[in-house]
């Protein structure tokens, strides 16, 4: 895109403020520069005169205003200043003040010519440097693939907002950070050029649909930033204005667009921040919008505006994650077990091992506070190895029935763990048949081929492998037919309405039938009532677990429950 011809991305100067103050400010600046040059010309003239005239060494001090004119006013200023300086040291300036001797005409004309040469050369040099700097800034602030302003330009414009905040309080501003969730898939399947075209097209259409002063930026490969003015001074109304800009971006993303003859839609998720009068740091402003975006992604919602509580929760979570290794070393983690029941016989046939953390004050740290972050970092490896080791120890020492443990996406992508799992389990004297691995659907969509190889390796080593939370992710029938799974676990979301909804029962029946057709074992989780148990039993489920049978229990209580049942 040609920045000069772009009509949907107006310059920051045009969109934000009236031109009256910038023109006045520029005029005042030019007047100040002109006065400085006049002062230097005058001072230089007096220095030459009071040091004896042009026949001595000091006449060249008057080159200083010539150089300043070249810097500030370019070639015209340099020429005018050179001629003026030459004339000031020309026919009316004595060659020798003490004797009253004046210069010849050739002398002062030659000096003017020399000053002109210096001025023109300096103007050319400074203009060359100025253009080189402009090219550098342009390369830094404009994305050459899409023609959009970059993150550097966003930082620059927020700094300008801060400088002008005290001059114009008629409106405030806000930033919306927009992520294109499926851009990576477009990049992988259709190539970089198509992905860049999608970004460019989305930015154009968002800008065309926003009716208030704004600017669109290419914040990162898959993110756009929108900086825009907010008229309302009342907090609720201002936040509604910000939310309306997100609605525009979301609607545009959902609209069908044709790129290289292919119909595409883009899934949008965003975070926002309403800039305050006391904000002074552009990075903090941008980070707060980014925090809103991160919270939206983490909570699987399309939009979140920044809340100061996010920072506190993030800080607490960072501190919590930092304590995970210490918690492992200090034996603060333990396994709870939730029984699994055979639907046909009603007998207890195994359990799922669930990790629980009791801190140094013996207070339980809820899994939702640390596990999502742990699963996305390298900490998941030692945590998973701990779970496997403790489960194997309990199976061996307490003669437990088969136990299932959860594998995160990073576990499934960890070939070292996958290939060593059989040896690791055998080192505790436990057979692979006693341990079932539950994987998530996210692993299938991230790298289907590696997921297939990992599941195949686990099955070859003798482990049962089931797909956890089935129905909530992206699995397709095609994926399932190519994976050597042993079972599926239907998510609790499909259980809650079974008693009151015929549609829910139909969906459950279809899922169980499909699983049976694949010759996989069906487990239904989240059973909380007797009626739910009866429905899934009649529909053909193999196993079930849920609070109807038991909540997750520490080992001694689980063993007592098993003896009682």
């Amino acid at each position: 895109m040609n920045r000069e011809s772009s009509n949907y991305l107006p310059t920051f100067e045009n969109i934000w403020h009236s031109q009256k103050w910038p023109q006045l400010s520029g005029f005042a600046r030019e007047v100040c520069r002109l006065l400085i040059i006049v002062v230097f010309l005058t001072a230089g003239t007096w220095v030459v005169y009071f040091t004896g005239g042009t026949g001595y060494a000091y006449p060249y001090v008057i080159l200083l205003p010539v150089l300043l004119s070249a810097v500030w006013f370019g070639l015209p200023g340099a020429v005018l200043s050179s001629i003026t300086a030459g004339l000031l040291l020309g026919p009316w300036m004595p060659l020798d003040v003490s004797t009253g001797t004046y210069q010849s005409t050739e002398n002062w004309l030659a000096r003017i010519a020399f000053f002109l040469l210096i001025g023109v050369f300096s103007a050319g040099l400074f203009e060359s440097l100025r253009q080189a700097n402009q090219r550098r800034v342009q390369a830094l602030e404009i994305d050459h693939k899409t023609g959009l302003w970059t993150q550097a330009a966003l930082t620059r414009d927020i700094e300008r907002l801060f400088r002008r905040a005290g001059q114009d309080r008629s409106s405030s501003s806000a930033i919306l950070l927009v992520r294109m969730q499926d851009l990576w898939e477009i990049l992988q399947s259709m190539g970089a050029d198509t992905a860049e075209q999608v970004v460019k097209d989305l930015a154009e259409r968002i800008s065309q649909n926003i009716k208030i002063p704004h600017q669109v930026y290419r914040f990162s490969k898959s993110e756009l930033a929108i900086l825009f003015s907010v008229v309302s001074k009342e907090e609720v109304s201002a936040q509604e204005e910000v939310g309306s800009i997100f609605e525009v971006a979301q609607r545009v993303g959902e609209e069908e667009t044709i790129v290289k003859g292919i119909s595409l839609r883009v899934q949008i998720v965003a975070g926002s921040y309403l800039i305050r009068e006391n904000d002074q740091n552009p990075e903090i402003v941008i980070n707060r919008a980014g925090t809103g975006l991160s919270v939206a992604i983490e909570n699987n919602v399309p939009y979140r505006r920044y809340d100061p509580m996010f920072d506190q929760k993030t800080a607490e979570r960072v501190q919590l994650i930092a304590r995970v290794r210490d918690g492992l070393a200090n034996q603060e983690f333990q396994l709870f077990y939730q029984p699994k029941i055979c639907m046909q016989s009603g007998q207890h046939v195994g359990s799922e091992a669930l990790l629980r953390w009791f801190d140094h004050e013996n207070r339980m740290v809820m899994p939702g506070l640390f596990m999502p972050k742990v699963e996305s970092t390298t900490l998941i490896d030692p945590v998973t190895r701990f779970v496997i080791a403790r489960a194997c120890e309990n199976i061996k020492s307490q003669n437990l029935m088969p136990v299932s443990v959860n594998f995160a996406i990073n576990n499934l992508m960890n070939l070292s763990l996958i290939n060593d799992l059989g040896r690791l389990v055998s080192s505790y004297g436990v057979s692979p048949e006693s341990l079932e691995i539950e994987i998530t659907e996210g692993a299938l969509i991230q790298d289907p081929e590696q997921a297939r190889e990992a599941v195949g390796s686990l099955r070859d080593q003798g482990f049962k492998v089931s797909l956890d939370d089935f129905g909530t992710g992206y699995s397709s029938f095609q994926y399932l037919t190519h994976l050597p799974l042993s079972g599926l676990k239907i998510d609790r979301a499909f259980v809650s309405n079974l008693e009151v909804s015929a549609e829910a029962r139909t969906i459950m029946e279809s899922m169980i039938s499909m699983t049976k057709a694949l010759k996989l074992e069906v487990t239904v989780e989240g059973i909380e009532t007797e009626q739910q148990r009866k429905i899934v039993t009649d529909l053909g489920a193999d196993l079930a677990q849920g609070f109807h049978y038991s909540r997750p229990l520490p080992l001694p209580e689980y063993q007592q429950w098993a003896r009682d049942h």
Side-chain angles (χ1 to χ4, degrees):
M1 183 197 311
N2 186 339
R3 293 294 306 181
E4 303 302 326
S5 62
S6 172
N7 57 6
Y8 76 95
L9 291 175
T11 64
F12 185 87
E13 300 291 342
N14 291 333
I15 66 175
W16 227 271
H17 302 278
S18 69
Q19 294 298 306
K20 182 177 180 181
W21 172 247
Q23 286 179 350
L24 178 60
S25 175
F27 175 76
R29 185 169 57 249
E30 300 304 313
V31 168
C32 288
R33 289 174 174 177
L34 185 60
L35 288 175
I36 290 172
I37 290 172
V38 169
V39 168
F40 274 109
L41 285 171
T42 303
T45 303
W46 280 102
V47 167
V48 172
Y49 183 82
F50 284 108
T51 55
T54 60
Y56 297 89
Y58 289 101
Y60 296 103
V61 298
I62 209 163
L63 283 175
L64 179 58
V66 173
L67 296 175
L68 287 176
S69 297
V71 173
W72 287 339
F73 299 105
L75 183 61
V79 170
L80 182 60
S81 182
S82 298
I83 294 174
T84 302
L87 290 174
L88 288 173
L89 300 187
W92 303 285
M93 177 65 70
L95 182 66
D96 190 327
V97 175
S98 61
T99 62
T101 305
Y102 282 85
Q103 310 167 72
S104 65
T105 302
E106 293 81 3
N107 185 293
W108 61 265
L109 285 176
R111 185 180 296 109
I112 290 177
F114 176 71
F115 285 177
L116 278 170
L117 180 64
I118 295 295
V120 170
F121 176 79
S122 300
L125 176 61
F126 289 127
E127 180 62 25
S128 176
L129 292 173
R130 187 179 294 111
Q131 291 178 0
N133 184 64
Q134 288 175 347
R135 288 192 295 270
R136 182 191 65 81
V137 170
Q138 186 178 52
L140 181 65
E141 296 186 346
I142 298 177
D143 179 51
H144 71 279
K145 292 184 178 179
T146 60
L148 295 169
W149 294 111
T150 64
Q151 184 176 348
L154 174 63
T155 301
R156 174 204 67 197
D157 289 345
I158 294 176
E159 288 175 344
R160 290 179 179 176
L161 281 178
F162 293 157
R163 289 197 296 268
R164 295 177 182 181
Q167 302 162 7
D168 181 11
R169 298 185 180 274
S170 61
S171 65
S172 56
S173 306
I175 178 173
L176 183 75
L177 198 58
V178 176
R179 176 173 294 178
M180 294 158 276
Q181 287 285 76
D182 40 11
L183 188 67
W184 178 248
E185 296 173 23
I186 295 173
L187 176 65
Q188 285 187 313
S189 60
M190 303 178 67
D193 291 342
T194 301
E196 295 297 330
Q197 183 62 40
V198 168
V199 174
K200 177 182 175 180
D201 180 72
L202 183 68
E204 286 186 13
R205 292 187 292 121
I206 287 176
S207 189
Q208 290 167 357
N209 283 273
I210 297 176
K211 306 305 181 184
I212 60 175
H214 70 281
Q215 184 63 281
V216 181
Y217 305 81
R218 179 77 178 274
F219 186 77
S220 70
K221 287 293 183 183
S222 60
E223 293 174 345
L224 297 174
I226 307 171
L227 191 61
F228 54 95
S229 60
V230 177
V231 175
S232 178
K233 289 294 185 180
E234 202 273 324
E235 175 74 16
V236 175
S237 299
Q239 293 291 3
E240 289 177 354
E241 287 186 51
V242 177
S244 69
I245 300 300
F246 162 71
E247 291 172 0
V248 170
Q250 185 182 42
R251 185 179 68 252
V252 168
E254 291 173 350
E255 292 173 354
E256 185 177 276
T257 181
I258 306 298
V259 178
K260 295 185 177 180
I262 300 173
S263 177
L264 297 173
R265 288 182 174 86
V266 180
Q267 182 182 355
I268 294 297
V269 61
S272 69
Y273 176 64
L274 184 64
I275 299 175
R276 311 293 177 172
E277 291 183 358
N278 59 347
D279 285 325
Q280 296 296 324
N281 190 322
E283 290 186 5
I284 292 177
V285 167
I286 295 170
N287 287 343
R288 286 175 176 173
T291 298
L293 173 62
S294 298
V295 172
I297 294 172
E298 183 177 329
N299 290 278
N300 198 29
V301 295
Y303 170 67
R304 277 287 183 268
R305 67 172 184 262
Y306 171 80
D307 188 306
M309 288 297 295
F310 293 166
D311 286 336
Q312 179 180 344
K313 291 178 180 178
T314 300
E316 291 173 352
R317 188 164 300 182
V318 169
Q319 294 171 4
L320 196 63
I321 297 303
R323 288 165 38 205
V324 168
R325 288 189 186 276
D326 292 338
L328 288 172
N330 296 331
Q331 302 293 314
E332 294 176 2
F333 289 92
Q334 58 180 277
L335 295 187
F336 277 36
Y337 296 87
Q338 187 170 37
K340 289 184 178 181
I341 307 298
C342 174
M343 303 305 290
Q344 299 305 318
S345 67
Q347 296 298 309
H348 165 229
V349 294
S351 64
E352 179 182 3
L354 300 167
L355 186 66
R356 295 294 183 261
W357 184 6
F358 293 86
D359 65 15
H360 60 283
E361 296 179 355
N362 204 34
R363 295 176 303 185
M364 180 185 286
V365 181
M366 298 305 295
L369 294 178
F370 68 92
M371 279 308 299
K373 189 67 176 178
V374 167
E375 288 177 352
S376 65
T377 68
T378 55
L379 280 172
I380 191 61
D381 185 62
V383 168
T384 302
R385 289 179 183 272
F386 168 83
V387 171
I388 293 169
R390 187 56 55 87
C392 289
E393 289 172 356
N394 292 341
I395 291 171
K396 180 68 175 177
S397 63
Q398 306 299 327
N399 196 29
L400 298 184
M401 292 183 176
V403 174
S404 62
V405 297
N406 294 284
F407 264 33
I409 294 175
N410 286 342
N411 291 139
L412 206 61
M413 301 298 125
N414 184 348
L415 295 180
S416 174
L417 175 63
I418 296 298
N419 295 331
D420 290 347
L421 192 60
R423 181 191 55 78
L424 178 63
V425 170
S426 298
S427 69
Y428 289 94
V430 173
S431 67
E433 291 80 7
S434 298
L435 201 67
E436 181 179 12
I437 308 300
E438 295 186 4
I439 65 173
T440 61
E441 292 187 77
L444 306 185
I445 199 67
Q446 177 169 306
D447 193 333
E449 183 59 28
Q450 186 167 341
R452 186 188 65 79
E453 293 177 2
V455 172
S457 175
L458 291 172
R459 296 288 285 146
D460 290 343
Q461 295 175 65
F463 295 100
K464 295 174 67 176
V465 181
S466 63
L467 188 63
D468 195 13
D469 299 333
F470 179 68
T472 61
Y474 305 95
S475 294
S476 70
F477 189 78
Q478 181 182 10
Y479 283 142
L480 298 180
T481 56
H482 287 85
L483 281 173
L485 297 169
S486 58
L488 290 180
K489 179 181 282 189
I490 297 175
D491 188 74
R492 66 183 66 249
F494 298 96
V495 175
S496 58
N497 292 325
L498 285 177
E499 298 158 296
V500 296
S501 171
E503 289 85 356
R505 291 191 291 274
T506 300
I507 292 172
M508 177 65 73
E509 183 179 14
S510 299
M511 296 174 75
I512 291 175
S513 297
M514 183 197 71
T515 308
K516 293 287 189 179
L518 293 171
K519 296 181 170 54
L520 301 177
E521 186 177 61
V522 185
T523 303
V524 181
E525 64 177 342
I527 301 297
E528 297 186 355
T529 68
E530 173 61 22
Q531 190 172 355
Q532 289 173 352
R533 181 204 66 77
K534 186 176 185 306
I535 290 171
V536 297
T537 301
D538 293 341
L539 292 177
D542 297 309
L543 305 176
Q545 65 184 89
F547 281 21
H548 176 65
Y549 302 103
S550 174
R551 60 183 174 82
L553 301 169
L555 181 60
E557 293 182 27
Y558 169 64
Q559 291 176 295
Q560 183 61 49
W561 183 95
R563 286 192 292 269
D564 294 341
H565 294 78

